[in-house]
Amino acid sequence: MNLTTPNQRHPICAIATAPGKGGVGVVRLSGDNAEGIAETIAGKLPPARQASLRQFRNAAGESIDDGLLLYFPGPNSFTGESVVEFQGHGGPVVLNMLVEAICAAGAKPAKPGEFSERAFLNDRLDLAQAEAIADLIDAGSAAAAKAAIQSLAGEFSDKVNDLLKQLIALRVHVEAAIDFPEEEIDFLADGAILAQLENVENLHSKLLKSAEQGRVLRDGLTVVLAGRPNAGKSSLLNALTGDDTAIVTDIAGTTRDVLRERIHIDGLPLHIIDTAGLRTEAADAVEAEGIRRAHREIAEADALLLVIDDNDSETAAIGAELSGISPLPAITRIYNKADLSGRSIGLVEGTNESSIAIAAKTGEGMEALREHLKHIAGYQNEQSGQFSARRRHINNLQAVGQNIDNARYQLVEIRAGELVAEELRLAQDQLAEITGQFTSDDLLGEIFSNFCIGK
């Protein structure tokens, strides 16, 4: 879109502040003839970007509220269209009356994310930046908020565009070699294309790693606690949350349902799920349902902490209880009650799988476990250069990686220039979909439908 001629559409309005009562409430109006609608409600518009006190009235001339009026002429506004903001008192009844009056004057209620969608369509921001707005609003930690701000400022998009430029340059080089076969020099064999491809591979690897870190900051890591009854799963949940979240008794099978808690470790969001004790034969129908739900949560988890009573040698043989669960996430064996068994607290050396010895009730070994959780999440507690990313971005970048691998194979093994160029074209389309340069209407609808109304 061209910023000098913004994509004007039917005017929309919505309450832009959070639901509930507050000292100030904001109603936002954007679109064609926003100025005329605003003057119907509040009289003459103030100068651009200057707040002015106005009385807001409905079509019958009845006063609705007194407040501030702000005018942002397009294209120099958030949406790229003419935008007017009504800042009044933050009562839901008053704000809804104001929205009704604005709609009666010619606007229509905005759909979720419609303001941000118009900003994207009018080239005020790209798709990754638009998504960062929702990520900033939904941020569950300071680290996630800072990462979203970086994406909103264009950090992620800049890195995607840098890779895209290198990819296009390589594609041009390859297609030039195809277009001039009469040249005596074999461009595919001179090493320049392979060197460029290796540079693209390095840039892609760094970007994917950073994006995966950004996805962890946004979505967090889902960790399931599982094990046989009375292994200490509930004690471990309480130790991780720092609260008496779960009931802890000496009676086996206390946990029958799924317990969910959300915590943060140095800014890393963790979704901790405590499940019913696993055994091959349930005592009753209620326990059987609890075990079925535990299996479901394990299959959907990012990581599984398999809790073992280290003071009971029989519980270490757990295995049959996990049969039939697919896919199984990465498993870390947690040897609980190590203070009673005499095992050294901390990482267990000499094993083929991740194992940590702890004492959940006393808190011993918990720091080692927290560091391990950060490690398996790929989390780095560094704020500089971090940006937020979503699962769809990761999927796109993984597809790019596959295209690059295919291009290398076609270049080195098959020496088929046309197929190299085609793989690079597919990779280019995947990258362009991240920022919205190339995307489908269905994807746009799915993305913006998850935004809050008024944004």
Side-chain angles (χ1 to χ4, degrees):
M1 305 296 174
N2 189 331
L3 283 182
T4 59
T5 55
N7 182 33
Q8 293 277 13
R9 295 186 173 188
H10 194 285
I12 55 173
C13 76
I15 300 171
T17 41
K21 297 179 180 179
V24 176
V26 177
V27 173
R28 177 180 288 166
L29 168 66
S30 178
D32 191 24
N33 196 35
E35 297 92 341
I37 294 172
E39 289 181 345
T40 300
I41 303 297
K44 184 180 178 181
L45 290 178
R49 290 172 292 281
Q50 292 185 24
S52 182
L53 183 65
R54 292 288 190 275
Q55 189 172 64
F56 308 145
R57 299 179 179 274
N58 60 21
E62 299 169 336
S63 177
I64 299 172
D65 195 7
D66 290 330
L68 296 178
L69 194 68
L70 276 165
Y71 172 46
F72 304 92
N76 299 314
S77 69
F78 173 71
T79 62
E81 306 167 338
S82 293
V83 172
V84 180
E85 288 191 357
F86 303 79
Q87 300 183 7
H89 295 91
V93 173
V94 172
L95 292 173
N96 282 320
M97 290 172 61
L98 182 55
V99 168
E100 289 175 4
I102 294 172
C103 288
K108 65 178 182 179
K111 297 179 293 185
E114 192 168 2
F115 289 97
S116 297
E117 183 179 18
R118 292 190 178 194
F120 164 70
L121 293 173
N122 288 321
D123 290 338
R124 298 299 291 169
L125 37 75
D126 65 32
L127 195 54
Q129 289 175 298
E131 289 170 301
I133 295 172
D135 294 343
L136 181 58
I137 293 170
D138 295 335
S141 68
K146 290 178 180 178
I149 290 171
Q150 289 291 96
S151 279
L152 183 55
E155 179 82 16
F156 183 28
S157 301
D158 288 345
K159 293 183 182 299
V160 170
N161 288 327
D162 287 343
L163 177 58
L164 188 57
K165 289 176 183 178
Q166 295 297 322
L167 198 63
I168 292 172
L170 174 57
R171 183 180 170 191
V172 168
H173 197 157
V174 171
E175 292 186 354
I178 297 171
D179 291 339
F180 298 100
E182 68 279 1
E183 296 288 340
E184 294 182 3
I185 299 174
D186 184 355
F187 287 103
L188 295 179
D190 69 359
I193 289 180
L194 183 58
Q196 282 184 271
L197 181 59
E198 289 175 348
N199 182 49
V200 168
E201 288 173 330
N202 291 333
L203 286 175
H204 169 263
S205 178
K206 292 177 182 178
L207 179 56
L208 178 57
K209 185 177 180 180
S210 296
E212 287 173 338
Q213 173 73 20
R215 201 280 302 175
V216 168
L217 280 174
R218 178 185 182 272
D219 297 338
L221 191 74
T222 299
V223 179
V224 168
L225 312 182
R228 287 181 175 173
N230 222 28
K233 300 184 301 300
S234 296
S235 295
L236 178 54
L237 176 65
N238 291 344
L240 285 169
T241 62
D243 198 2
D244 292 332
T245 301
I247 298 173
V248 177
T249 72
D250 293 330
I251 302 172
T254 304
T255 302
R256 295 296 190 96
D257 205 347
V258 173
L259 296 178
R260 303 176 188 273
E261 284 293 323
R262 182 181 174 93
I263 66 171
H264 289 88
I265 299 177
D266 293 340
L268 168 66
L270 288 179
H271 308 281
I272 309 295
I273 301 174
D274 185 18
T275 59
L278 301 177
R279 44 186 163 191
T280 54
E281 294 185 7
D284 52 44
V286 175
E287 185 179 25
E289 175 61 19
I291 293 174
R292 187 192 69 78
R293 295 186 182 190
H295 286 189
R296 181 190 64 200
E297 296 296 339
I298 291 171
E300 296 176 354
D302 295 316
L304 171 62
L305 300 186
L306 191 58
V307 185
I308 297 166
D309 184 347
D310 201 35
N311 207 36
D312 181 359
S313 59
E314 293 185 4
T315 64
I318 186 169
E321 291 83 352
L322 298 177
S323 63
I325 302 176
S326 180
L328 270 176
I331 298 176
T332 300
R333 287 181 172 257
I334 305 297
Y335 293 104
N336 190 28
K337 308 179 186 179
D339 55 330
L340 302 178
S341 69
R343 189 191 295 266
S344 297
I345 298 292
L347 290 172
V348 178
E349 304 293 342
T351 58
N352 294 326
E353 59 186 356
S354 299
S355 303
I356 300 176
I358 68 167
K361 283 193 174 181
T362 65
E364 296 175 273
M366 292 304 298
E367 189 57 34
L369 176 56
R370 292 186 181 96
E371 289 299 317
H372 175 70
L373 290 172
K374 288 163 58 178
H375 173 73
I376 62 178
Y379 177 72
Q380 300 172 355
N381 191 19
E382 301 173 358
Q383 297 302 318
S384 61
Q386 287 186 357
F387 51 80
S388 64
R390 296 186 169 202
R391 170 49 60 187
R392 83 167 187 92
H393 303 146
I394 303 300
N395 293 340
N396 284 124
L397 288 172
Q398 288 174 340
V400 170
Q402 185 61 58
N403 293 136
I404 293 173
D405 289 343
N406 293 343
R408 170 180 278 275
Y409 175 77
Q410 297 295 344
L411 176 63
V412 176
E413 302 295 335
I414 308 299
R415 308 200 61 73
E418 294 85 353
L419 297 180
V420 174
E422 175 61 14
E423 292 295 342
L424 296 178
R425 184 191 67 79
L426 293 173
Q428 182 179 338
D429 287 347
Q430 291 287 345
L431 284 177
E433 192 170 274
I434 292 176
T435 56
Q437 297 174 38
F438 169 79
T439 190
S440 67
D441 290 340
D442 289 341
L443 177 61
L444 292 181
E446 180 182 345
I447 290 172
F448 288 109
S449 67
N450 293 316
F451 280 48
C452 58
I453 294 176
K455 200 61 179 175

